[in-house]
Amino acid sequence: TYLIQASNIIIADKILKSPRILSDTELGPFVVGLIDGDGSLQVNHWRKKNLQYRLVVKLADKPLNSDMLSHIAKVYGGYVRQGVEKESRYVQWIINDQNTFKQTILPLLDNYPPLTSRMRLQYYFFKKFLQSPIVEHYFIERGLKYRIEINITSIYEVPNYFKEWLAGFIESEGSFSLRVQGNYSFSIGQNHDCYLITAIRDYYGLSHLTIASKTGKISGYPFYEFSVGSANGTGKVIDHCTSLLQGYKYYQLAVFVSKNKVFNNRSKEFFE
């Protein structure tokens, strides 16, 4: 059992409680959600002679993220590294050991399949060449990785691990925002996968909300997002997230609640 320590974090003179310890069956899909949001499964070659494998989950080095990734590394293997890129600090969970992939990561991703189209395609390619590391086939197929025809158009039925998966995905892609004028909102978005953002919106019973469609200024990819600003809708997100978030978004949610008049009475859930 590992406790992600938050006891040394003080927000507005109040001590932040540590995130709740997740059970094994909660942590697994949570980690997959995190991988879906900010992870990368890579297959590379060494001098065209053999294949190398790597998992990287990269987050901003903000409160609790390093502790969260260190806990995940203790459970699933790999190591955590911190660094600076373009004057921004980051923290990474990295695995590059084939035995670790076979013993922990493949079983994890088979038990709780990724839900983003990007990671589903990456995992299909990654698993194929981990199990059959033929270099010649790799060079033929690597350019086709994102053209493989697998069922990525929709989630016909929300999986039974969606609750925990979504918490991990929110750690990557969700945001709790307090506006200057005092308004509050939660938002979450994703490239390409309108079906996934729709499933998240509907999970919270907010099917009346419109999903915004944008085009990335740099990537050119379609980007889908919804945000909720009502007390009722935001309260549903808080109900779901309070006992599951583990990293910086737990910290962000605590600040969000403590500074919001509507939800301030819930501060006791986050502070000692």
Side-chain angles (χ1 to χ4, degrees):
T1 300
Y2 181 92
L3 180 65
I4 297 174
Q5 294 288 347
S7 56
N8 59 341
I9 296 178
I10 297 175
I11 300 173
D13 298 324
K14 294 179 286 187
I15 298 175
L16 182 65
K17 290 180 180 179
S18 296
R20 184 178 70 85
I21 299 171
L22 300 185
S23 68
D24 291 345
T25 54
E26 291 173 321
L27 183 63
F30 176 92
V31 171
V32 175
L34 195 62
I35 293 172
D36 257 320
D38 276 319
S40 175
L41 280 170
Q42 305 165 10
V43 182
N44 302 302
H45 67 90
W46 184 78
R47 297 182 179 179
K48 298 184 179 181
K49 293 181 178 180
N50 52 49
L51 299 180
Q52 299 174 325
Y53 310 91
R54 186 175 171 91
L55 166 67
V56 179
V57 175
K58 184 178 181 180
L59 302 172
D61 192 5
K62 294 183 176 181
L64 295 178
N65 276 349
S66 181
D67 291 331
M68 174 180 67
L69 293 182
S70 294
H71 172 44
I72 291 170
K74 287 178 182 293
V75 175
Y76 292 101
Y79 61 96
V80 173
R81 184 176 70 186
Q82 293 171 298
V84 179
E85 184 177 62
K86 297 180 180 179
E87 300 183 359
S88 296
R89 295 191 60 81
Y90 67 84
V91 58
Q92 293 176 309
W93 169 40
I94 300 170
I95 296 177
N96 49 32
D97 176 67
Q98 288 193 41
N99 289 330
T100 302
F101 281 118
K102 292 175 180 177
Q103 291 171 9
T104 66
I105 300 303
L106 261 61
L108 172 68
L109 296 176
D110 285 341
N111 286 336
Y112 309 107
L115 299 182
T116 63
S117 58
R118 178 188 67 89
M119 188 50 60
R120 290 159 84 176
L121 290 167
Q122 279 191 20
Y123 182 51
Y124 180 90
F125 184 83
F126 182 91
K127 184 179 179 181
K128 177 177 181 177
F129 284 99
L130 182 66
Q131 295 177 332
S132 181
I134 302 173
V135 177
E136 293 78 11
H137 292 177
Y138 163 79
F139 281 106
I140 293 171
E141 296 185 32
R142 66 176 179 173
L144 306 173
K145 176 167 47 176
Y146 294 110
R147 300 180 192 175
I148 300 168
E149 290 295 329
I150 62 174
N151 179 22
I152 61 170
T153 57
S154 63
I155 301 175
Y156 294 109
E157 184 176 344
V158 171
N160 59 9
Y161 56 90
F162 193 75
K163 175 183 177 181
E164 296 80 13
W165 175 91
L166 179 53
F169 192 66
I170 287 172
E171 282 285 359
S172 295
E173 306 296 345
S175 180
F176 296 91
S177 303
L178 277 166
R179 309 302 181 190
V180 175
Q181 62 269 37
N183 292 341
Y184 45 85
S185 69
F186 166 79
S187 62
I188 191 165
Q190 176 70 9
N191 289 333
H192 299 295
D193 299 339
C194 185
Y195 69 88
L196 189 56
I197 298 304
T198 300
I200 294 169
R201 180 198 64 181
D202 294 351
Y203 176 79
Y204 290 125
L206 301 171
S207 59
H208 61 283
L209 295 178
T210 300
I211 293 175
S213 177
K214 307 173 186 177
T215 301
K217 293 181 180 179
I218 298 175
S219 68
Y221 297 146
F223 180 79
Y224 300 97
E225 178 185 40
F226 86 87
S227 60
V228 53
S230 68
N232 180 55
T234 307
K236 291 179 179 179
V237 180
I238 295 172
D239 288 342
H240 165 242
C241 288
T242 300
S243 65
L244 291 171
L245 294 180
Q246 300 288 295
Y248 175 67
K249 296 300 163 62
Y250 174 81
Y251 173 96
Q252 188 185 64
L253 178 56
V255 173
F256 179 86
V257 166
S258 68
K259 291 186 176 182
N260 194 300
K261 293 180 179 178
V262 176
F263 300 113
N264 187 258
N265 63 335
R266 301 191 65 164
S267 289
K268 61 182 180 297
E269 299 174 46
F270 295 90
F271 298 98
E272 295 180 3

